[in-house]
Amino acid sequence: MVHLNPQPGSSTFHGEFRDCHVKPTRGALACMINAEIEAVLAVMRRNVRWGIRYVADDDHLEHSLIHSLKELRKQIFSWQHQWNTINPAVYLQPFLDVIRSDETGAPITGVALSSVYKILTLDVLDLDTVNVGKAMHLIVDAVTSCRFEVTDPASEEVVLMKILQVLLACMKSKAAARLTNQHVCNIVNTFFRVVHQASSKSELLQRIARHTMHELVRCIFSHLPEISNSKPVIATGSRSFAAEVASVLDKDHMFGSIQQENGHVGVEYDGQSSNEQASSIPTGKSADEMDASKIEETGTVEVAQDSENSMTEPFGIPCMVEIFHFLCSLLNVIEHIGIGPRSNPIAYEEDVPLFALGLINSVIELGGPSFSQHPRLLALIQDELFRNLMQFGLSMSPLILSTVCSVVLNLYYHLRKELKVQLEAFISCVLLRLAQSKHGSSYQQQEVAMEALVDLCRQQTFMAEMYANFDCDITCSNVFEDLANLLSKSAFPVNGPLSAMHILALDGLVSMIKGMAARIGNELPASDEHSVNFERFEAFWTLKCDNYDDPSCWIPFVHQTKYIKKKLMVGADHFNRDPKKGLEFLQGMHLLPDKLDPESVASFFRYTTGLDKNLIGDFLGNHDEFCILVLHEFARTFDFCEMNLDMALRLFLGTFRLPGESQKIQRILEAFAERYYEQSPHLFFNKDAALLLSYSLIMLNTDQHNVQVKKKMTEEDFIRNNRHINGGNDLPREFVSELYHSICENEIQMIPDQSASSAVMTSSHWINVMHKSKEAAPFIICDSRSLLDRDMFAILSGPTIAAISVVFDQVEQEDILQTCVDGFLAITKIAAHYHFDDVLNDLVVSLCKFTILLTPLSIEETILAFAYDVRARMATTAVFTIASGYGDYFHSGWRNILDCVLSLHKLGLLPTGLVSDAADDKESSPEPALGKPATSSLSTLHTPSLAPQRKSSGLIGRFSQLLSFDMEEPMLQPDEELLAALQRAREVIQSCHIDSIFTESKFLQAESLLQLVRALIFTASRLQKGNSSMEDEDSAVFCLELLIAVTLNNRDRILLVWQGVYEHISNIVQSTVLPYTLVEKAVFGLLRICQRLLPYKENLTDELLKSLQLILKLDARVADIYCEPITQEVMRLVKANATHIRSPVGWRIIISLLSITARHPEASEAGFETLSFIMSEGVHLLPSNYVLCVDAARQFAESRVGEVGRSISALDMMAGSVVCLVRWSCEAKNSVVEEDAMKVSQDIGEMWMRLVQGLRKVCLDQREEVRNQAVLNLQSCLAGVDVIQLARALWFRCFDHVIFTLVDDLLDISLTNSSKDYQKMEGTLVLAMKLMSKAFLQSLQDLSQQPSFCKLWLGVLNRMERYMKVRFRGKRSEKIHELVPELLKNTLLVMKTTGILMASNDVGDDSFWQLTWLHVKNIVPLMQSEIFPDDELERIKHNKAGVLPVTEGALLVPSSETTA
């Protein structure tokens, strides 16, 4: 038996009275009881009746009530034992007799009740007290049967209050565990009668009575969690509660007093008993009880017999079942009074249902999940309670509806696992229906329903559970989707201002979104995404989940069922248009087998929602053989076991519409009767009996509920019509009568509702609900993890963004605006987490519209509007918060972000460091910006601007113009309002941290970064097109600066963005013919990119340096203006990155840029400094840049822009570069590969040749110092390559193209030009002649054996001969005339000594000997005799042995003059 059974001495009940903490001693208790006796006697003596003695048999005797009190008074002080060993009945009985007596008045009864209450509160009675159970029974029996004479209304109300007080004290007492189930039921019964009678009494009594009954019910059910369910119990005996409710409520009032008879309160007024008005407790089951008992798991006679004694057991589950059923039955009063869902709530008394709902809510709160452990209690909630809640949920009274919603919220929280179908029905048929304002619901009803839905949405797991249990269940409606659509639509103000309903719906939407956002990061471990792919048929109605408690099992399952449900909805739509094509479509989707079978089609009809029930009825009633088979299979899907015929018929006909054709009806009812008889053969003789009775019920339903039928069928008519149908016998009269009344009271809906969400909850519908609850899949409990949020967000995101945007656009209250912003940010977080990039971009587009930054207003108007429009400020903050935190997921949204940034730039509100990159800018020396004022251009790029100054387009720039001293135009001072607005706007923008969007772009994902760069290029290109205004040009410059900053920030991913950046800069540079800021920023941005990226991207060095070719393509006018700063940047680039430049292509571009500056007045200094850095000491000279550097140095040497000293320095650098050639030659000799060494040697020869050729050109310079220095440097270069094994052919080339050409050119210049143009040419000619002589002697040994040597030698002699003949201003040069013979003599001696020039007897003009002396005689006629005296010459001629051997050291050392 299920009841409380605490151990002695334990304190199971914790309802002790807090005003009594210490149990009195034995003597104190005696004194207390004595005082109570005295109090009762004193009140009795005040009454005349009790003040005289009664005469009996001539003996003067006291009344038995007084006598018993006096006798107790004598005994109490003589008791020596502990009070818990004394039978409480001894000292309680005299007081209880007074309470029971109908001779006592209200004052006396009240004092006796107070005495009993005092004894209870002193904890005299506890579980260790002797016979405490019997004592508690005596107290309850006496108080519930209390009788007294009413003397005045006030005293009557006092007694009633004290009755409630004593009974509540009994329940809170420690000894309450000894009360039986019956006594507790009697207490509750008495309480309710007092509560009902109090409705005609004072307000105070009414409130106290209701309050104490709440306390009583809470006290009883607070012990439900402590009770374990050992076995189910069917309790009887107190079922009279429900039967008495109607009779109690039908009475207008209760009479003067309360009396108890057989457990029920009777009344007595002026001594006249009216017990006949009180009914006695029936010992058997009522009809109502019989119906309720059907939902019990056991119905055997043995259990019922055991339950007869359950009411005498210590109280527990049996009495709780009775009390809870009693509370539920209080809601049935609506049926007795005849109130319908559309009735006026004022037309009937609201007190009873409100009071009952309040008590039920308290019971649910206290019992909580413990109800699920007790099937009897749970069955009451699932059926009777929820059925009544559905009815009262459609009440026109907002108060009742609000209370009902509170009860449902508690039921969801505690018992949703056991109430799946009931919750679906309530949400769909009550809350959604009312909130949608369907069927004429009032605004108050809509608001209450919406509040209830929003409260549910605020539950952490509600929406996830709705989606998992209903939207992903093929037999249920899409509760989550319907709720999301309702909230989003309800947030839209259609044709009026924003109301509380709109804000409430918004709150619900935001609550759902914020709940999803809060769950992000709390997800299941990553697993393979469950894919659903039906490639073969599988009976979808048979799918089950292995474990509904394990998310790893049920998540794939609900994904699968949701996929099937979507396909079924599409298939249902096809079926509703054309049943045949619909079935074919389902076959193609593998939801039906390739070859249709009756079972599959029947199951499709039975378990698919959204089908046209008219079409189902026509299909099932068709005479086609396949349709008949489907009909019978359809009937077999129903379970009619232990179900009345009318209930089974209601359930069956609720799934389709019965056709109107009699033959179809016949076939359908035959299938139904066959199935019903198959499962309930004990009721009918055969299936024909079930068919006939079913037909009769259909006809009765039409007769009773068709308004066109005037004469209705009576019960006797119905019974008579159904005689002898059960195999020739009659069916039991009671059975047929019950069916008659059931049909009359509740119509069978012959036209079932097509949509479950809008259906009115009729009895037939409720039967379907209860039947569905038995077959429904278990309720899936979701935890705080993000399990299905991705799928839910896909449904929710679009309507939610639209709804929040509309509210955000129309509302003015800041708190509601903040709610909208919170919703936007939560949507952003979810969309980013689940990679809903389109959702995120759409959200950004929507938000940007609210910033007013894109509105075409003047600058002043925009500033004022932005500063004083809280919506615009919040939207702007939200936009840039999203951009900063979730830029990884932006695509098209970047364009809107940039439009806002550009607008802020035009307003002058951006932070000054916006376009700075993340690298250390201290590396670059700061330079003054010579372009537009810093107020409008907030760039911190260290790029000088030489473009013409322009007026600022920003507001700050305008202020600076207003405050300037330019008096050409009248200027107005900005007012204080504008200044204050500007300050506020600045503060808002500063808090947005817009700079982080670009400075932190290095953390963006590759795709998002690419989209950002493309957006910058697109925006800048758009501003460049057409006839751009000043503001557009300024914005294009700003976009370019941002683009360069982003590029520099992403140097590690430069390859990703470089192509687009380069093309954009190239378009700017090549389309520009006039200097202005945009091309300036493009050029210097490009230089800075190269400068900053070269150290980090060696593989990209050539690509970066090639981009500098754009500078060479600048228009001449543009290039001339920017030449100096460009050179400065190139110098920085080279100094910082010279070691990283290796390729000829890169050096060619760098040297080309430097060469251009050689003749530029401002840029040449920086250019020469850069070239000096490269060539000095040969550190950065490379084979790849040697020739380029030599040519550039030559150009600087030839340039007259700088001082002579710079030209000489350039020549020195050229001459000094020979050292590098020598070094490279030595390195080449050590090369292992001979072919490589030869190749390097050839390259070095060519580089040397380019060097001497370059020097030769400078030797012709007009400036004497430069010219002479060039000749000397050329001489050193010729002499400095002794260690280099130059090819002999190279020397011949050198003489032909360099030395001889130089000597000839100098001579020609001296002869053809005036001395003013070329001063002191004589000295240069002397140096040139010496250079030729030295070069010839240097190469003499190597070249003398070559065939071309004779030609070379004659060339030297010819130049000497010409120089001897030269005249300056008609006079010969003494220096040359002295120098040439000496040089010639020295040369001849060396040739003689080396054996190259020897006497020969050969006669002919082509003899080397003859040719030599032929030319020498033209120069110095007597030179031969000096070199070869006659005697020596004669000896040589006669010496046939040839040339004498030359001894080592015989070479003639030149004189100091010749070597000078």
Side-chain angles (χ1 to χ4, degrees):
M1 189 60 60
V2 182
H3 54 76
L4 292 172
N5 188 22
Q7 298 298 322
S10 65
S11 180
T12 304
F13 281 74
H14 303 289
E16 297 89 352
F17 295 89
R18 296 185 178 92
D19 56 350
C20 183
H21 299 286
V22 181
K23 182 181 289 188
T25 61
R26 182 176 55 188
L29 285 171
C31 293
M32 183 274 295
I33 294 176
N34 181 67
E36 295 303 319
I37 295 171
E38 182 61 33
V40 175
L41 290 175
V43 176
M44 294 180 71
R45 291 190 183 102
R46 290 173 57 186
N47 192 297
V48 176
R49 176 187 301 180
W50 303 102
I52 62 173
R53 296 177 180 273
Y54 287 88
V55 179
D57 297 333
D58 297 330
D59 293 329
H60 296 282
L61 299 175
E62 291 180 318
H63 193 278
S64 59
L65 297 179
I66 297 178
H67 179 74
S68 62
L69 289 169
K70 291 183 176 180
E71 287 297 320
L72 175 61
R73 196 173 188 179
K74 295 177 183 178
Q75 300 175 21
I76 55 176
F77 291 106
S78 61
W79 291 338
Q80 300 299 321
H81 302 288
Q82 295 293 331
W83 279 87
N84 59 1
T85 61
I86 299 173
N87 187 357
V90 176
Y91 52 82
L92 286 173
Q93 192 63 54
F95 298 101
L96 300 180
D97 291 341
V98 173
I99 294 171
R100 284 178 179 273
S101 175
D102 55 0
E103 298 177 4
T104 56
I108 300 173
T109 305
V111 174
L113 288 168
S114 297
S115 299
V116 175
Y117 175 75
K118 189 173 184 179
I119 294 172
L120 288 172
T121 58
L122 289 175
D123 286 346
V124 177
L125 305 179
D126 56 26
L127 296 177
D128 297 327
T129 305
V130 175
N131 290 334
V132 68
K134 184 177 181 181
M136 295 298 292
H137 298 168
L138 290 173
I139 295 174
V140 173
D141 290 341
V143 176
T144 55
S145 60
C146 172
R147 306 181 183 189
F148 60 92
E149 293 181 355
V150 178
T151 56
D152 60 275
S155 60
E156 178 187 5
E157 291 184 8
V158 170
V159 173
L160 292 177
M161 285 189 287
K162 290 189 175 182
I163 289 174
L164 300 178
Q165 190 180 41
V166 172
L167 292 177
L168 182 59
C170 288
M171 287 307 306
K172 290 187 174 182
S173 171
K174 293 180 179 179
R178 295 292 183 256
L179 292 174
T180 65
N181 290 297
Q182 186 63 57
H183 283 97
V184 174
C185 290
N186 290 343
I187 292 173
V188 175
N189 191 8
T190 302
F191 262 71
F192 179 72
R193 287 181 175 272
V194 173
V195 168
H196 186 71
Q197 185 178 1
S199 60
S200 61
K201 306 296 181 182
S202 66
E203 183 71 17
L204 177 63
L205 179 61
Q206 293 179 37
R207 292 181 179 275
I208 291 178
R210 289 173 180 266
H211 174 73
T212 50
M213 186 160 186
H214 268 283
E215 286 291 313
L216 175 69
V217 172
R218 291 179 66 86
C219 180
I220 294 172
F221 281 90
S222 63
H223 307 292
L224 181 60
E226 304 169 7
I227 302 175
S228 61
N229 184 31
S230 59
K231 65 178 180 178
V233 175
I234 302 179
T236 60
S238 183
R239 187 57 75 182
S240 56
F241 287 171
E244 291 179 2
V245 171
S247 63
V248 171
L249 296 176
D250 285 340
K251 298 177 183 178
D252 292 336
H253 62 274
M254 297 297 289
F255 298 97
S257 61
I258 301 175
Q259 59 182 349
Q260 174 81 5
E261 182 170 328
N262 293 331
H264 281 261
V265 176
V267 290
E268 180 180 304
Y269 187 77
D270 291 336
Q272 300 296 323
S273 175
S274 59
N275 289 338
E276 62 275 8
Q277 296 183 18
S279 61
S280 61
I281 302 177
T283 57
K285 290 186 179 181
S286 65
D288 185 36
E289 182 184 357
M290 290 175 63
D291 291 340
S293 65
K294 293 177 183 178
I295 60 176
E296 291 299 323
E297 297 180 2
T298 58
T300 61
V301 177
E302 290 77 15
V303 174
Q305 290 176 349
D306 291 340
S307 65
E308 293 293 333
N309 299 322
S310 64
M311 299 306 290
T312 62
E313 296 289 337
F315 90 91
I317 292 299
C319 75
M320 292 183 186
V321 171
E322 299 301 330
I323 294 170
F324 192 71
H325 179 74
F326 165 63
L327 297 178
C328 294
S329 66
L330 291 179
L331 300 177
N332 291 332
V333 67
I334 192 171
E335 299 176 2
H336 298 288
I337 302 176
I339 301 299
R342 296 192 183 184
S343 301
N344 189 341
I346 308 301
Y348 72 97
E349 183 62 50
E350 286 184 340
D351 268 1
V352 173
L354 282 175
F355 180 59
L357 288 170
L359 291 173
I360 290 171
N361 202 28
S362 296
V363 170
I364 300 299
E365 290 172 348
L366 289 168
S370 301
F371 280 96
S372 61
Q373 302 175 11
H374 306 288
R376 178 65 172 169
L377 288 171
L378 182 60
L380 288 173
I381 294 174
Q382 290 173 326
D383 190 356
E384 185 172 359
L385 174 60
F386 245 104
R387 176 164 49 85
N388 290 328
L389 291 177
M390 296 286 292
Q391 294 293 334
F392 278 99
L394 299 177
S395 166
M396 295 295 290
S397 168
L399 184 58
I400 290 180
L401 176 58
S402 178
T403 310
V404 167
C405 292
S406 298
V407 174
V408 172
L409 179 60
N410 276 322
L411 288 171
Y412 163 78
Y413 185 79
H414 294 296
L415 297 171
R416 59 186 181 275
K417 196 167 185 179
E418 287 76 23
L419 300 173
K420 176 178 178 178
V421 179
Q422 289 84 348
L423 286 171
E424 179 197 11
F426 186 84
I427 294 173
S428 299
C429 300
V430 176
L431 295 182
L432 291 176
R433 179 178 174 224
L434 292 177
Q436 290 171 347
S437 186
K438 290 186 177 180
H439 309 287
S441 57
S442 66
Y443 178 82
Q444 289 80 7
Q445 285 178 295
Q446 295 179 49
E447 190 171 15
V448 172
M450 186 64 72
E451 287 174 349
L453 289 172
V454 172
D455 284 340
L456 288 169
C457 291
R458 292 191 180 108
Q459 307 303 310
Q460 188 178 24
T461 61
F462 173 75
M463 297 307 293
E465 290 175 347
M466 294 300 102
Y467 181 78
N469 289 284
F470 303 125
D471 291 55
C472 297
D473 190 328
I474 59 175
T475 63
C476 298
S477 59
N478 293 331
V479 175
F480 168 79
E481 193 168 344
D482 293 342
L483 181 54
N485 291 332
L486 169 69
L487 292 176
S488 59
K489 291 178 181 178
S490 299
F492 275 90
V494 182
N495 294 319
L498 211 62
S499 66
M501 183 72 72
H502 301 126
I503 304 304
L504 193 60
L506 172 70
D507 193 16
L509 282 175
V510 174
S511 296
M512 285 193 291
I513 291 296
K514 291 174 72 174
M516 290 185 187
R519 290 193 291 270
I520 286 179
N522 186 15
E523 299 164 324
L524 288 177
S527 59
D528 294 337
E529 185 69 21
H530 180 74
S531 60
V532 182
N533 186 16
F534 277 80
E535 297 181 353
R536 59 183 180 83
F537 166 71
E538 185 176 3
F540 61 85
W541 58 90
T542 61
L543 295 176
K544 300 293 181 183
C545 179
D546 295 333
N547 188 350
Y548 285 92
D549 296 324
D550 183 5
S552 61
C553 291
W554 64 256
I555 289 179
F557 174 73
V558 298
H559 283 154
Q560 182 183 22
T561 54
K562 183 60 177 176
Y563 175 83
I564 295 173
K565 189 174 184 179
K566 288 180 180 178
K567 297 301 180 183
L568 281 174
M569 292 175 67
V570 177
D573 186 60
H574 283 277
F575 178 85
N576 292 340
R577 292 197 297 265
D578 188 330
K580 182 178 179 180
K581 292 183 178 179
L583 294 177
E584 292 175 353
F585 173 81
L586 291 166
Q587 287 177 291
M589 297 300 299
H590 303 291
L591 293 174
L592 289 178
D594 295 336
K595 183 179 181 180
L596 289 179
D597 60 81
E599 181 184 2
S600 300
V601 178
S603 299
F604 169 69
F605 290 158
R606 180 75 168 86
Y607 301 110
T608 302
T609 58
L611 292 176
D612 188 331
K613 296 186 177 182
N614 294 319
L615 295 177
I616 298 176
D618 290 338
F619 190 99
L620 295 177
N622 199 300
H623 62 82
D624 182 79
E625 181 179 357
F626 182 77
C627 294
I628 294 175
L629 294 175
V630 171
L631 172 62
H632 286 275
E633 288 294 337
F634 182 80
R636 289 191 185 94
T637 63
F638 291 87
D639 182 10
F640 298 140
C641 292
E642 300 182 7
M643 191 177 292
N644 285 348
L645 181 64
D646 67 312
M647 292 179 64
L649 194 58
R650 293 177 196 273
L651 178 64
F652 185 70
L653 296 179
T655 56
F656 62 93
R657 181 178 182 181
L658 194 65
E661 188 179 340
S662 60
Q663 292 181 348
K664 292 185 177 182
I665 296 175
Q666 173 77 19
R667 281 189 287 271
I668 291 174
L669 289 182
E670 283 178 356
F672 166 77
E674 181 180 348
R675 178 62 174 170
Y676 187 81
Y677 176 74
E678 179 184 334
Q679 294 187 312
S680 302
H682 60 283
L683 294 177
F684 298 101
F685 179 79
N686 52 29
K687 64 180 180 180
D688 292 336
L691 173 63
L692 291 174
L693 187 56
S694 299
Y695 246 121
S696 184
L697 290 177
I698 296 293
M699 295 174 63
L700 174 64
N701 187 73
T702 304
D703 176 85
Q704 293 295 319
H705 300 287
N706 193 328
V707 294
Q708 296 180 355
V709 178
K710 303 302 180 181
K711 185 178 180 181
K712 305 295 183 183
M713 186 186 303
T714 65
E715 181 178 353
E716 290 299 325
D717 293 338
F718 182 72
I719 295 175
R720 184 172 56 255
N721 292 339
N722 289 285
R723 286 178 179 173
H724 311 301
I725 64 173
N726 194 22
N729 298 320
D730 291 342
L731 291 165
R733 182 181 179 88
E734 295 79 6
F735 175 70
V736 179
S737 178
E738 183 181 352
L739 291 176
Y740 173 83
H741 288 290
S742 176
I743 298 299
C744 292
E745 293 172 2
N746 297 302
E747 178 187 2
I748 297 177
Q749 297 293 325
M750 305 302 293
I751 306 177
D753 295 297
Q754 295 288 348
S755 175
S757 61
S758 61
V760 178
M761 187 54 64
T762 61
S763 296
S764 298
H765 195 178
W766 185 252
I767 291 172
N768 291 336
V769 169
M770 292 306 300
H771 185 266
K772 182 179 177 182
S773 67
K774 297 177 182 179
E775 300 178 345
F779 191 93
I780 296 173
I781 297 293
C782 296
D783 52 28
S784 59
R785 291 177 291 180
S786 176
L787 304 175
L788 300 170
D789 287 354
R790 180 186 177 87
D791 300 332
M792 295 163 58
F793 184 72
I795 298 172
L796 193 62
S797 58
T800 302
I801 292 176
I804 298 178
S805 297
V806 170
V807 176
F808 191 74
D809 184 42
Q810 299 195 12
V811 77
E812 298 296 335
Q813 296 91 330
E814 190 168 349
D815 57 336
I816 301 176
L817 289 173
Q818 186 59 52
T819 300
C820 293
V821 171
D822 292 342
F824 285 136
L825 295 179
I827 291 172
T828 301
K829 184 178 180 181
I830 303 169
H833 182 74
Y834 294 115
H835 299 283
F836 284 89
D837 297 346
D838 292 339
V839 172
L840 193 56
N841 286 285
D842 292 343
L843 175 60
V844 171
V845 172
S846 178
L847 269 177
C848 287
K849 296 176 182 178
F850 298 118
T851 63
I852 74 167
L853 297 175
L854 308 181
T855 306
L857 299 173
S858 68
I859 291 179
E860 289 79 6
E861 290 173 338
T862 305
I863 287 288
L864 290 172
F866 181 80
Y868 295 104
D869 187 346
V870 64
R871 180 188 297 105
R873 298 199 304 272
M874 284 188 171
T876 302
T877 304
V879 164
F880 291 115
T881 299
I882 293 171
S884 298
Y886 303 97
D888 278 338
Y889 311 96
F890 279 12
H891 294 298
S892 59
W894 279 123
R895 295 186 181 181
N896 300 86
I897 296 292
L898 290 177
D899 288 340
C900 292
V901 172
L902 285 177
S903 179
L904 292 172
H905 170 69
K906 293 177 182 179
L907 299 174
L909 296 177
L910 290 179
T912 56
L914 181 60
V915 293
S916 64
D917 58 83
D920 188 5
D921 288 334
K922 294 180 181 179
E923 297 176 2
S924 302
S925 59
E927 302 171 10
L930 303 177
K932 55 188 177 179
T935 53
S936 63
S937 176
L938 303 176
S939 171
T940 59
L941 288 173
H942 298 307
T943 53
S945 172
L946 294 177
Q949 294 189 8
R950 297 182 289 109
K951 291 184 180 180
S952 171
S953 60
L955 183 61
I956 309 299
R958 294 196 178 189
F959 286 169
S960 65
Q961 296 170 24
L962 293 173
L963 299 175
S964 67
F965 293 100
D966 186 1
M967 303 302 294
E968 294 179 359
E969 297 179 3
M971 297 295 181
L972 298 177
Q973 295 290 339
D975 56 21
E976 293 184 0
E977 181 184 10
L978 191 57
L979 289 172
L982 177 63
Q983 181 61 29
R984 176 180 294 185
R986 279 177 171 173
E987 292 173 355
V988 172
I989 299 304
Q990 186 177 4
S991 67
C992 292
H993 302 290
I994 300 176
D995 54 338
S996 65
I997 298 174
F998 303 99
T999 57
E1000 300 299 322
S1001 62
K1002 56 190 171 186
F1003 300 114
L1004 290 176
Q1005 293 182 3
E1007 180 61 26
S1008 182
L1009 173 63
L1010 191 58
Q1011 293 295 336
L1012 171 59
V1013 171
R1014 288 175 179 172
L1016 283 167
I1017 294 172
F1018 171 82
T1019 305
S1021 301
R1022 182 188 62 195
L1023 294 169
Q1024 288 176 247
K1025 292 179 180 178
N1027 297 323
S1028 300
S1029 63
M1030 281 286 192
E1031 290 187 352
D1032 287 343
E1033 180 187 339
D1034 184 66
S1035 298
V1037 170
F1038 181 69
C1039 281
L1040 178 61
E1041 291 175 331
L1042 285 178
L1043 179 62
I1044 293 170
V1046 170
T1047 304
L1048 293 174
N1049 278 325
N1050 290 274
R1051 64 189 182 194
D1052 294 331
R1053 298 184 289 177
I1054 187 64
L1055 288 174
L1056 184 67
V1057 301
W1058 175 246
Q1059 187 62 34
V1061 174
Y1062 173 75
E1063 290 178 359
H1064 178 60
I1065 295 177
S1066 176
N1067 292 334
I1068 295 174
V1069 172
Q1070 297 186 36
S1071 63
T1072 301
V1073 294
L1074 293 174
Y1076 68 107
T1077 309
L1078 183 60
V1079 69
E1080 171 195 345
K1081 296 297 182 182
V1083 170
F1084 293 117
L1086 182 61
L1087 284 167
R1088 190 158 185 241
I1089 290 173
C1090 294
Q1091 178 183 338
R1092 299 290 293 279
L1093 297 184
L1094 282 177
Y1096 305 100
K1097 294 295 176 182
E1098 294 184 4
N1099 60 327
L1100 200 61
T1101 300
D1102 290 345
E1103 191 71 25
L1104 291 171
L1105 293 176
K1106 283 181 183 179
S1107 66
L1108 297 181
Q1109 287 180 332
L1110 293 175
I1111 301 176
L1112 300 175
K1113 298 178 182 180
L1114 280 171
D1115 185 86
R1117 290 168 292 180
V1118 178
D1120 184 65
I1121 291 177
Y1122 296 127
C1123 189
E1124 182 184 4
I1126 288 175
T1127 308
Q1128 294 284 352
E1129 288 299 312
V1130 172
M1131 179 175 65
R1132 294 192 184 94
L1133 185 148
V1134 172
K1135 288 184 176 181
N1137 303 285
T1139 57
H1140 301 99
I1141 306 174
R1142 295 290 178 183
S1143 68
V1145 176
W1147 278 116
R1148 180 178 297 110
I1149 296 170
I1150 293 294
I1151 303 303
S1152 298
L1153 293 172
L1154 297 178
S1155 300
I1156 294 173
T1157 67
R1159 290 173 175 80
H1160 195 280
E1162 291 85 8
S1164 60
E1165 183 178 352
F1168 183 72
E1169 182 182 346
T1170 307
L1171 186 62
S1172 300
F1173 173 80
I1174 298 172
M1175 298 185 67
S1176 295
E1177 300 179 2
V1179 177
H1180 300 298
L1181 275 176
L1182 302 170
S1184 59
N1185 67 0
Y1186 183 85
V1187 174
L1188 299 170
C1189 289
V1190 167
D1191 288 342
R1194 175 187 59 79
Q1195 294 182 49
F1196 277 100
E1198 294 175 340
S1199 173
R1200 295 194 176 190
V1201 172
E1203 298 178 354
V1204 174
R1206 189 165 68 194
S1207 296
I1208 294 174
S1209 298
L1211 292 170
D1212 291 339
M1213 289 192 300
M1214 294 176 69
S1217 65
V1218 176
V1219 177
C1220 294
L1221 297 178
V1222 174
R1223 184 177 72 247
W1224 297 337
S1225 177
C1226 295
E1227 292 173 354
K1229 291 178 181 178
N1230 298 327
S1231 175
V1232 178
V1233 183
E1234 184 178 352
E1235 294 180 359
D1236 293 344
M1238 292 179 61
K1239 179 66 170 63
V1240 173
S1241 179
Q1242 293 175 3
D1243 293 341
I1244 291 174
E1246 292 298 327
M1247 287 186 277
W1248 174 78
M1249 192 66 189
R1250 291 292 295 270
L1251 171 63
V1252 296
Q1253 287 177 338
L1255 287 171
R1256 180 197 66 79
K1257 294 179 181 179
V1258 185
C1259 291
L1260 306 179
D1261 195 277
Q1262 288 182 325
R1263 295 166 295 175
E1264 178 191 7
E1265 298 90 338
V1266 176
R1267 187 172 62 244
N1268 293 340
Q1269 184 65 35
V1271 175
L1272 293 175
N1273 287 336
L1274 176 57
Q1275 180 179 324
S1276 66
C1277 289
L1278 294 173
V1281 291
D1282 288 338
V1283 296
I1284 303 177
Q1285 295 179 354
L1286 295 176
R1288 295 179 179 89
L1290 199 61
W1291 274 107
F1292 284 111
R1293 283 176 54 196
C1294 179
F1295 275 97
D1296 290 340
H1297 299 292
V1298 178
I1299 300 174
F1300 291 161
T1301 305
L1302 172 62
V1303 173
D1304 294 342
D1305 290 344
L1306 285 174
L1307 183 59
D1308 292 340
I1309 290 173
S1310 65
L1311 296 176
T1312 58
N1313 291 277
S1314 66
S1315 59
K1316 293 182 179 180
D1317 295 333
Y1318 288 85
Q1319 298 178 1
K1320 300 180 180 180
M1321 281 298 296
E1322 182 181 8
T1324 306
L1325 292 175
V1326 170
L1327 294 175
M1329 191 53 61
K1330 291 180 180 180
L1331 179 146
M1332 184 181 66
S1333 176
K1334 285 184 175 244
F1336 181 78
L1337 292 175
Q1338 179 182 345
S1339 58
L1340 179 62
Q1341 193 68 33
D1342 290 334
L1343 302 181
S1344 61
Q1345 302 300 321
Q1346 299 301 313
S1348 300
F1349 176 72
C1350 182
K1351 180 181 178 182
L1352 175 65
W1353 168 239
L1354 293 178
V1356 173
L1357 294 176
N1358 287 333
R1359 270 72 183 180
M1360 288 183 177
E1361 182 179 352
R1362 288 189 62 193
Y1363 267 60
M1364 287 295 291
K1365 297 177 181 180
V1366 68
R1367 291 181 179 274
F1368 297 99
R1369 293 181 297 277
K1371 297 180 181 180
R1372 68 178 186 179
S1373 173
E1374 295 298 333
K1375 290 184 179 180
I1376 294 177
H1377 273 262
E1378 292 177 1
L1379 175 64
V1380 172
E1382 185 175 349
L1383 293 176
L1384 178 58
K1385 180 180 179 181
N1386 189 49
T1387 303
L1388 291 171
L1389 290 173
V1390 172
M1391 294 177 67
K1392 172 186 175 184
T1393 306
T1394 57
I1396 296 173
L1397 182 61
M1398 296 181 298
S1400 173
N1401 294 326
D1402 298 334
V1403 178
D1405 294 338
D1406 57 350
S1407 169
F1408 182 78
W1409 173 265
Q1410 297 294 335
L1411 290 173
T1412 299
W1413 295 114
L1414 180 63
H1415 285 80
V1416 172
K1417 287 178 181 179
N1418 294 332
I1419 301 171
V1420 183
L1422 300 178
M1423 182 64 69
Q1424 184 177 7
S1425 61
E1426 293 182 18
I1427 303 302
F1428 290 94
D1430 293 340
D1431 56 346
E1432 184 180 351
L1433 182 61
E1434 191 67 25
R1435 187 174 59 253
I1436 292 174
K1437 288 181 179 180
H1438 289 81
N1439 189 0
K1440 301 300 183 182
V1443 180
L1444 296 175
V1446 180
T1447 60
E1448 186 176 356
L1451 290 177
L1452 179 66
V1453 179
S1455 65
S1456 61
E1457 182 180 355
T1458 60
T1459 58

